[in-house]
Amino acid sequence: MIQSEVRIRSFRSQPRNLRGSVMMKIEEKHAANGSLVGTSQLPLGEKHQANDKPEENGKAQVSPKQEADGKGDTPRKSLNLYSWQEIQRHNQKTDQWLVINRKVYDVTSWADRHPGGRRVLNHYAGEDATAQLVEDFQELRRTLEAMNMFSANLGFFSLHLIQILILEALAWLMLWHFGNGWPITICISFLLTISQAQSSFLQHDTGHLSIFKKSKWNHLMHRFVMCHLKGLSVKWWNHRHFQHHTKPNIYPKDPDIDVGPLFLVGDLQPIKYGKKKIKYIDYEKQHLYFYMVGLPLLMPVYFNLQSMQVMYLGRYWRDIVWVSSFYIRYFITFGPFYGIFGTVLLIYLVKFLESPWIACVTQMSHIPMKMSREENRDWLSTQVLATCNVEQSFFNDWFTGHLNFQIEHHLFPTMPRHNYQKVAPLVRSLCAKHGLQYVTKPILKAFGDIVRSLKKSAALWMDAYYET
């Protein structure tokens, strides 16, 4: 959250037990820096620029530095009082308040500028959006920062990008040297599939701002990899993926589990469809449809069409230009060997082959885990209960883009993935201390659990559907 871009409402809460937390009277509690909560807040009716001089429009603003340090120079005046009941009423699209570090923010006008889109803030409107971390988790984060676990090894990511470019260059060289016969076409299709899958993992790194220290370089690299190397929209991915990280496996806030009516996942959705006698397809066999439809068509149909829809309906011209460069590059590189129609077929053949790989890697850590409606849990519990890990090995790390450490990734989204293995023992200890199940599986079992989970959901639907 960029604090200088939202309107600040000072408050002191009345005693309230929010989401099972200990009841407290906030005006009696001290912030981490030792100052009374709210002492850095300017009274409503004044607005200060960076130099602390009041602006003419008379609305208050505090610099981020002052907010963080609690060292506002403006004399303290009477503060507005807001109860939780009042805050929770401001959860509409046109009226959104958030509570962050015991301060109330009106983010209505800023929501459209949020990097993840308006819906990310919608999911927290009227709530306490402070990172709901137990004290031990906050201490763990400070420890990891001191250990430089959030600093990227640029050599690691450079080698990853070189791997992708070499695979693409090798595919073209094989065509140029051996021609476009069927054996060569099959061979280069697999080379390009590996390149595309590894590009998916690299764009994921850049999308989470985990490579460069400056956001603008991450954003530029993200566009290059996602749009130019993969032909998909950055805006579409951000909008979808940030919602997933905000509320993983929370229905209907996580778009990754809102896959009805084709599939029913978890426990709630199948029972809902069953009780309402909804039967768009034969859900008893949805685990078979997953093999025939879900695995092969996720990338070439669902993601590709959704990306195009978001780009053109949203008029994201920068994404459109970058994605166009992907197709132009393919036509220039492979057009002389296959022609326009043959090149289009090659593009979608590669997406078809890549799709099962990405579908299994992305779904193995979430589909078998707990799914529920909003329970307003703390950050640590929300992420751990909705994710699981896959055993570490050199192959598993490479094949999954280190998403075999899904728990660590969800707890620390901006952490470079080559550090997940280092922090995993600390996270496991923290989970054990607080009674949270830290799940780790063999990779083949994780793949199988996707299908077993779909069969379980189908059984719940059948029980509800045929219940008299």
Side-chain angles (χ1 to χ4, degrees):
M1 181 73 62
I2 303 175
Q3 295 185 357
S4 61
E5 293 200 25
V6 296
R7 193 159 67 251
I8 301 174
R9 298 177 182 268
S10 308
F11 87 113
R12 291 177 181 174
S13 172
Q14 300 299 320
R16 175 78 174 179
N17 188 351
L18 182 64
R19 297 196 286 272
S21 60
V22 178
M23 293 181 66
M24 66 177 69
K25 195 169 184 178
I26 293 184
E27 63 265 31
E28 295 178 355
K29 295 293 179 180
H30 288 68
N33 59 16
S35 62
L36 279 172
V37 173
T39 56
S40 66
Q41 298 299 290
L42 300 177
L44 294 177
E46 296 180 15
K47 184 174 183 178
H48 285 240
Q49 300 175 349
N51 58 7
D52 288 337
K53 295 180 180 179
E55 287 189 2
E56 294 180 358
N57 60 9
K59 294 182 180 179
Q61 187 174 17
V62 180
S63 71
K65 177 66 175 175
Q66 289 172 318
E67 285 287 314
D69 296 340
K71 297 179 180 178
D73 295 330
T74 304
R76 190 189 316 174
K77 298 182 182 179
S78 60
L79 301 178
N80 284 15
L81 302 177
Y82 295 104
S83 67
W84 283 114
Q85 293 93 329
E86 182 177 358
I87 292 169
Q88 288 165 350
R89 288 198 295 269
H90 297 270
N91 63 351
Q92 307 300 316
K93 184 176 181 180
T94 56
D95 182 18
Q96 299 182 9
W97 289 11
L98 298 181
V99 180
I100 304 175
N101 293 329
R102 301 184 177 93
K103 302 178 182 71
V104 180
Y105 295 81
D106 182 349
V107 297
T108 309
S109 61
W110 187 75
D112 286 327
R113 287 181 283 163
H114 191 280
R118 172 177 285 274
R119 287 190 182 179
V120 171
L121 292 182
N122 284 352
H123 294 335
Y124 276 111
E127 298 182 19
D128 185 349
T130 307
Q132 297 294 309
L133 309 177
V134 296
E135 185 177 344
D136 288 343
F137 182 72
Q138 293 174 324
E139 181 61 32
L140 173 60
R141 171 135 194 144
R142 288 191 289 269
T143 300
L144 298 179
E145 288 172 350
M147 294 168 62
N148 290 322
M149 289 294 102
F150 292 89
S151 298
N153 182 339
L154 294 183
F156 172 88
F157 291 107
S158 297
L159 289 174
H160 193 94
L161 177 60
I162 290 171
Q163 168 198 208
I164 293 167
L165 298 179
I166 286 177
L167 287 168
E168 297 227 354
L170 184 59
W172 181 84
L173 286 172
M174 290 182 66
L175 271 177
W176 177 74
H177 186 75
F178 297 107
N180 61 353
W182 277 108
I184 297 301
T185 299
I186 294 172
C187 185
I188 70 163
S189 295
F190 280 103
L191 290 176
L192 293 173
T193 297
I194 297 172
S195 173
Q196 285 292 294
Q198 294 299 319
S199 295
S200 293
F201 303 138
L202 184 59
Q203 73 81 23
H204 183 258
D205 298 318
T206 56
H208 278 290
L209 313 182
S210 62
I211 298 181
F212 301 104
K213 292 183 178 180
K214 291 188 176 181
S215 296
K216 66 177 182 179
W217 293 113
N218 284 297
H219 291 315
L220 179 61
M221 189 66 173
H222 193 203
R223 273 209 162 79
F224 172 74
V225 179
M226 187 63 160
C227 299
H228 181 69
L229 293 184
K230 290 198 60 63
L232 295 172
S233 166
V234 162
K235 289 283 190 179
W236 160 76
W237 187 86
N238 287 344
H239 176 73
R240 180 186 182 91
H241 196 67
F242 291 169
Q243 288 186 76
H244 163 69
H245 269 270
T246 302
K247 298 287 185 178
N249 282 15
I250 302 298
Y251 182 80
K253 295 181 177 181
D254 181 358
D256 284 5
I257 65 170
D258 191 10
V259 291
L262 188 58
F263 295 103
L264 303 180
V265 295
D267 296 342
L268 299 178
Q269 195 179 35
I271 294 174
K272 175 185 174 182
Y273 272 55
K275 287 183 175 180
K276 292 185 176 181
K277 309 304 179 186
I278 298 175
K279 186 179 182 180
Y280 293 114
I281 63 172
D282 188 355
Y283 293 116
E284 299 172 46
K285 298 181 175 63
Q286 69 170 359
H287 60 290
L288 300 177
Y289 299 145
F290 178 72
Y291 287 117
M292 296 184 293
V293 178
L295 286 180
L297 300 184
L298 178 71
M299 293 295 293
V301 177
Y302 184 62
F303 279 1
N304 209 57
L305 292 180
Q306 207 177 53
S307 169
M308 290 182 178
Q309 180 187 32
V310 168
M311 277 193 300
Y312 286 101
L313 292 182
R315 298 178 182 272
Y316 299 131
W317 299 114
R318 186 182 300 180
D319 275 17
I320 291 172
V321 170
W322 273 96
V323 169
S324 298
S325 72
F326 164 81
Y327 289 97
I328 292 171
R329 175 172 61 86
Y330 258 75
F331 288 133
I332 292 174
T333 305
F334 300 104
F337 303 99
Y338 295 109
I340 294 177
F341 183 70
T343 301
V344 171
L345 288 179
L346 177 65
I347 290 172
Y348 283 91
L349 172 62
V350 170
K351 290 182 182 291
F352 179 85
L353 294 174
E354 177 198 9
S355 190
W357 185 343
I358 298 302
C360 286
V361 168
T362 56
Q363 301 308 309
M364 67 181 182
S365 298
H366 293 296
I367 292 295
M369 302 304 291
K370 175 183 172 63
M371 296 184 189
S372 65
R373 291 194 175 274
E374 182 60 78
E375 295 179 344
N376 294 318
R377 292 180 178 270
D378 60 83
W379 172 265
L380 177 66
S381 301
T382 297
Q383 305 302 324
V384 173
L385 292 175
T387 55
C388 68
N389 283 2
V390 165
E391 292 176 347
Q392 190 276 333
S393 70
F394 179 82
F395 174 79
N396 288 356
D397 292 350
W398 175 82
F399 187 80
T400 66
H402 286 87
L403 292 180
N404 50 328
F405 290 98
Q406 192 73 227
I407 295 174
E408 286 70 27
H409 169 60
H410 266 258
L411 291 176
F412 309 106
T414 60
M415 179 180 288
R417 57 177 155 122
H418 51 71
N419 288 331
Y420 292 159
Q421 184 181 357
K422 300 174 184 177
V423 306
L426 299 176
V427 174
R428 189 183 300 109
S429 297
L430 180 62
C431 291
K433 179 178 179 179
H434 292 278
L436 293 171
Q437 189 175 12
Y438 183 98
V439 180
T440 303
K441 308 174 182 177
I443 192 167
L444 293 181
K445 183 180 186 302
F447 292 159
D449 281 349
I450 300 173
V451 176
R452 284 185 282 271
S453 177
L454 290 173
K455 292 178 73 173
K456 176 187 173 185
S457 298
L460 291 172
W461 172 83
M462 288 170 57
D463 291 342
Y465 186 84
Y466 293 109
E467 186 181 56
T468 56

